[in-house]
Amino acid sequence: LLYTIKFEEGMSLSHEPPDLANLLTMDPYLEPHRDFLIDLYSNVQNTKQRVLEISPTLEEFASSYKTYGIHQRPDNSVVCREWAPNLAQLSLAGDFNEWNTTQYPFERNEFGVWELTIPPDSAGECRISPGSDVRYFCVDGEGTHFDRISPWARYVTQGDRVYYNEVFVGPHSEYEWNNPSLITRPPPRALYIYEAHVGISSPEPKIASYIEFADSVIPRIAELGYNTIQLMAVMEHAYYASFGYQVTSFFAASSRFGHPDTLKYLVDSAHSHGIRVLLDLVHSHASTNTKDGLNSFDGSDSHFFHGGAAGTHHLWKSRLFDYTNPETLRFLLANLEYWITEFRFDGFRFDGVTSMLYHHHGIGHVFTGEYGGYYDDQLNRGAVTYLMLANEYLHAKYPGVVTIAEDVSGLPALCRPVSEGGGGFDYRLAMSTPDMWIKLLKETTTDGVWDMGSIVHTLTNRRVGEKSIAYVESHDQALVGDKSIAFWLMDKEMYTNMSVLSERTPRIDRGLALHKMLRLLTFGLGGEGLLTFMGNEFGHPEWLDFPREGNGESYHYCRRQYNLADDELLRYKFLNRFDGALLSAEQGHPWLDQGPGYVYLSHEADKVIVFERGGLCFAFNFHWDSFVDYSLQVAGPGKYCIVLDSDHGYYGGHGRVDDTVPAFSYNEEGDRYFIKAYLPSRTCLVFAKSDD
């Protein structure tokens, strides 16, 4: 019966989260919503119980990618299975049988599951050769004929067609792993994430490959000190310019970057450097494509999705999953298991979580932080159940897995364990921070009017006990129509004055200084992990524009010019060096996992921010004037030495601070301790207590 009913229609038992008291102690404001939290947790437990009525274990349910779709068996037979309750007929055809659409029909069972077995030929060989194009040919209940590819397809290619075909992959991958998986090990204490898109990773105007990324970009990432890569646009998407967010084939690694085995080579290469790889996962919606997508696979508008208006995101023009459908749940959980098992990804960044969490999808809704605005009938219980179940399953099976939520709403407990009644994510993205920086740069012509208190508030306004990933700018801001932080700061002078042989104009000088300051302030105060979109570490110029009709299908702006950071005659090298130094400083003097920063000072007139985190003293002077013997409060008495100086000549600064001279604390106002320091204009300094 579970094939034909919604989970939510079954018998439900109440289950209190075993560690709910921990959550309520940490956040007493959740007490009035105790019953709501218990109800959400109960949905998860009841859903698991119903899964166990049709599958021996949740793990086997999540391993359905091994039995659904098209598979070659050890005896060289081909077995196909699909859930398509609206179909009246289904058959398989392809290169292997000269596209005869009647030769291999499926048989349907009472639950709408179709199965086909193609025995080996008389010589015992598989009748379908690896590399053959295959498609399904369908007839729905109204007699309409159409063709589709399997929702479970593992390799699809476009060739010279408008649409994609599934490519039969044979019995198994030929790739031999050289490095152990990292997902069985505890995750890093703090994530340094490098967000990357394979296709744009070459300086050349072309689509780069998995192999090129592995051989050329990963060594750069490792040298800078990043410990995690967040890989975008891996799940196959027919529309390249969608940045990978209009997924058509959820189990297929995008073929425009190479064969699936070369993606395994990329992940293997990252693991050889000790770098984890997270998949940018799109389970919030799907492309409306029918011929090569999930949409209307069986001719209905409710296959995997909500029917009617509820099944369409009206801004994204995409399909919305019905998370209460058991077959949707099977499909999505199996998708998680597939990417970890087959490609050894170490976790996921879940895209569009805000859209998933609420029936209004966050459209036109202002989240004030008032708790009653979260726990009402707009909360999508089906989606919350799926996210909690997914996180509970992943963290129970894989101790080193990392999950990150792209959520702007601030839903309480989203990043607390499921056992407490939380969403189970490890981190959420601190999405308000890049919005703040880009707003300041767009709306103000000078940093002299920046409000230090407002900046500090935005960076520190996050939920205690729930970890955030801090970042200065997002990949969206690199797209055509907007600018990167570096381009906002330096604009057209990046074309004429980034050479060390050219004049260092006031705009370039200010831009280089503020680029470093914004990154250190955000990463110092804004979260428990950090993220950089590829190229932003060295102030990549211009914008990102995918090939399209409006630009003559050009790849000129669809690339990352890493050669700029490598050119000793260009000032990009200074920003690149500072990025590596920032990560090195955090590695040597940890602060990201040391609790939130304590802000001692945000002085509006002086434009100075001073805070302590992890025992370090961070000092930022945004003023155009320098200050001599400025008093900086520190965590305790002792000798303090500079461990990071944005004004150092090696990072393109003026070298106005003597980093070899320590500062000694003095006592003032009881148990408060201070040091005196020279704060040059537009400079940030980090002091660490010395044991000498």
Side-chain angles (χ1 to χ4, degrees):
L1 290 176
L2 282 176
Y3 285 100
T4 57
I5 66 171
K6 305 291 188 184
F7 280 149
E8 60 188 9
E9 295 173 356
M11 295 290 291
S12 296
L13 300 175
S14 180
H15 301 267
E16 180 168 314
D19 300 320
L20 178 60
N22 294 347
L23 179 63
L24 299 181
T25 299
M26 185 187 73
D27 187 354
Y29 290 101
L30 283 171
E31 181 63 46
H33 307 285
R34 170 194 285 266
D35 290 344
F36 212 112
L37 294 170
I38 292 174
D39 190 38
L40 293 176
Y41 182 79
S42 298
N43 287 346
V44 176
Q45 303 312 311
N46 291 327
T47 297
K48 285 197 299 184
Q49 186 58 44
R50 291 166 190 151
V51 166
L52 295 178
E53 294 175 17
I54 60 172
S55 178
T57 64
L58 184 60
E59 182 174 354
E60 184 169 318
F61 187 72
S63 298
S64 292
Y65 69 90
K66 298 178 181 179
T67 54
Y68 279 72
I70 305 173
H71 298 274
Q72 182 175 338
R73 294 304 184 204
D75 65 354
N76 286 332
S77 63
V78 174
V79 177
C80 313
R81 176 182 290 144
E82 300 292 347
W83 174 68
N86 193 56
L87 290 184
Q89 296 177 37
L90 177 63
S91 63
L92 176 70
D95 295 339
F96 70 99
N97 73 340
E98 299 181 342
W99 297 99
N100 183 334
T101 61
T102 61
Q103 184 177 7
Y104 293 113
F106 284 66
E107 292 185 359
R108 170 182 168 146
N109 70 15
E110 60 185 304
F111 303 118
V113 175
W114 296 78
E115 295 182 336
L116 165 67
T117 299
I118 302 177
D121 63 20
S122 58
E125 298 297 324
C126 183
R127 294 180 185 270
I128 308 179
S129 300
S132 296
D133 280 7
V134 294
R135 293 189 71 81
Y136 289 146
F137 292 83
C138 317
V139 181
D140 66 15
E142 298 180 355
T144 303
H145 292 250
F146 50 90
D147 56 287
R148 298 285 188 263
I149 60 175
S150 172
W152 306 80
R154 290 173 288 162
Y155 186 32
V156 298
T157 60
Q158 186 174 24
D160 57 0
R161 299 176 302 275
V162 175
Y163 57 88
Y164 283 71
N165 272 346
E166 178 173 359
V167 177
F168 185 67
V169 295
H172 57 80
S173 168
E174 298 295 331
Y175 187 77
E176 294 184 8
W177 294 91
N178 296 306
N179 299 279
S181 174
L182 299 181
I183 204 167
T184 58
R185 306 177 189 177
R189 60 168 185 82
L191 298 184
Y192 311 155
I193 301 174
Y194 195 86
E195 185 183 33
H197 182 292
V198 169
I200 68 173
S201 63
S202 171
E204 301 174 43
K206 66 175 187 177
I207 297 178
S209 70
Y210 296 122
I211 291 177
E212 288 174 302
F213 185 91
D215 293 346
S216 299
V217 181
I218 288 179
R220 305 181 64 93
I221 297 171
E223 183 177 5
L224 284 171
Y226 288 90
N227 58 25
T228 305
I229 295 171
Q230 182 176 296
L231 210 54
M232 306 171 63
V234 170
M235 303 163 78
E236 188 62 89
H237 47 292
Y239 182 42
Y240 188 40
S242 73
F243 234 145
Y245 293 118
Q246 292 281 342
V247 176
T248 45
S249 290
F250 283 70
F251 289 82
S254 181
S255 59
R256 59 172 56 88
F257 311 135
H259 189 275
D261 280 355
T262 60
L263 173 59
K264 295 178 181 180
Y265 171 75
L266 184 159
V267 175
D268 204 11
S269 298
H271 288 169
S272 73
H273 291 278
I275 297 174
R276 294 170 186 254
V277 187
L278 307 182
L279 177 68
D280 198 345
L281 184 85
V282 186
H283 279 185
S284 49
H285 63 131
S287 167
T288 56
N289 286 23
T290 55
K291 201 172 182 71
D292 53 9
L294 289 187
N295 187 26
S296 190
F297 173 72
D298 69 350
S300 71
D301 75 337
S302 57
H303 185 266
F304 291 134
F305 307 109
H306 288 289
T312 300
H313 195 291
H314 299 291
L315 286 184
W316 297 344
K317 307 300 181 185
S318 54
R319 297 305 316 274
L320 297 173
F321 288 105
D322 178 1
Y323 302 101
T324 65
N325 184 322
E327 293 305 315
T328 301
L329 196 63
R330 180 198 301 276
F331 183 81
L332 296 178
L333 287 176
N335 196 230
L336 299 174
E337 181 68 33
Y338 171 78
W339 289 110
I340 289 178
T341 302
E342 299 298 321
F343 290 88
R344 297 194 179 181
F345 278 95
D346 302 293
F348 305 97
R349 178 261 203 190
F350 282 71
D351 176 69
V353 168
T354 303
S355 176
M356 297 173 69
L357 291 174
Y358 309 99
H359 292 298
H360 54 61
H361 309 300
I363 301 173
H365 188 86
V366 177
F367 296 98
T368 64
E370 195 277 316
Y371 282 29
Y374 297 113
Y375 301 110
D376 57 22
D377 59 4
Q378 281 297 311
L379 193 70
N380 186 339
R381 293 173 182 248
V384 174
T385 297
Y386 164 64
L387 292 172
M388 292 175 69
L389 180 59
N391 275 305
E392 185 181 58
Y393 171 77
L394 289 172
H395 287 88
K397 185 175 181 183
Y398 301 107
V401 75
V402 172
T403 60
I404 301 172
E406 189 211 22
D407 171 50
V408 72
S409 75
L411 177 68
L414 184 65
C415 299
R416 294 300 300 176
V418 174
S419 64
E420 294 182 0
F425 285 98
D426 298 295
Y427 296 85
R428 59 158 47 95
L429 294 178
M431 300 179 69
S432 61
T433 301
D435 291 343
M436 171 194 69
W437 289 128
I438 210 71
K439 185 173 187 290
L440 283 175
L441 294 174
K442 282 183 176 180
E443 298 181 359
T444 61
T445 57
T446 172
D447 42 303
V449 299
W450 289 2
D451 186 322
M452 299 293 105
S454 177
I455 291 172
V456 166
H457 173 74
T458 300
L459 291 171
T460 57
N461 184 27
R462 59 186 186 274
R463 293 186 55 78
V464 175
E466 299 188 46
K467 295 187 290 187
S468 295
I469 299 294
Y471 57 116
V472 180
E473 51 191 320
S474 71
H475 58 255
D476 291 332
Q477 290 159 354
L479 289 171
V480 65
D482 209 332
K483 302 177 184 178
S484 67
I485 293 293
F487 215 46
W488 275 108
L489 289 169
M490 295 177 277
D491 205 55
K492 62 182 180 181
E493 291 190 24
M494 296 190 79
Y495 294 118
T496 58
N497 293 85
M498 286 300 279
S499 169
V500 296
L501 303 178
S502 65
E503 177 189 4
R504 183 176 178 131
T505 64
R507 183 156 199 160
I508 292 295
D509 190 63
R510 171 181 176 268
L512 293 175
L514 289 181
H515 192 277
K516 292 177 284 186
M517 294 183 72
L518 267 54
R519 290 179 69 79
L520 180 58
L521 180 56
T522 300
F523 296 159
L525 195 57
E528 289 70 38
L530 56 87
L531 178 145
T532 295
F533 176 62
M534 60 191 309
N536 288 346
E537 71 274 14
F538 62 84
H540 197 285
E542 302 175 331
W543 51 86
L544 181 63
D545 190 10
F546 284 87
R548 53 189 172 84
E549 185 177 347
N551 65 12
E553 303 297 333
S554 171
Y555 288 87
H556 179 75
Y557 294 108
C558 194
R559 56 188 176 131
R560 296 283 92 176
Q561 300 178 62
Y562 287 109
N563 54 296
L564 298 176
D566 296 337
D567 194 327
E568 286 297 317
L569 294 180
L570 297 179
R571 293 187 168 112
Y572 298 100
K573 66 180 181 181
F574 299 131
L575 301 180
N576 196 64
R577 289 172 181 174
F578 185 75
D579 192 64
L582 190 160
L583 298 181
S584 179
E586 205 287 330
Q587 186 67 30
H589 305 274
W591 70 75
L592 287 171
D593 62 336
Q594 300 299 304
Y598 187 88
V599 179
Y600 290 132
L601 179 70
S602 58
H603 199 291
E604 294 302 333
D606 292 350
K607 300 299 178 190
V608 170
I609 296 172
V610 181
F611 64 89
E612 177 271 328
R613 194 172 183 192
L616 303 171
C617 173
F618 293 77
F620 295 79
N621 178 17
F622 283 94
H623 207 283
W624 48 93
D625 287 334
S626 301
F627 300 107
V628 178
D629 289 338
Y630 204 91
S631 294
L632 308 176
Q633 188 169 348
V634 292
K639 170 185 171 183
Y640 287 81
C641 298
I642 294 175
V643 296
L644 188 60
D645 169 13
S646 69
D647 194 51
H648 196 287
Y650 188 67
Y651 312 129
H654 297 282
R656 291 169 289 181
V657 178
D658 187 346
D659 296 345
T660 65
V661 178
F664 294 89
S665 66
Y666 62 94
N667 179 257
E668 189 178 279
E669 303 175 23
D671 59 353
R672 299 172 65 197
Y673 293 87
F674 297 81
I675 58 174
K676 295 284 189 180
Y678 175 45
L679 295 186
S681 62
R682 296 193 176 109
T683 293
C684 48
L685 302 171
V686 180
F687 295 84
K689 187 175 179 180
S690 173
D691 295 329
D692 295 343

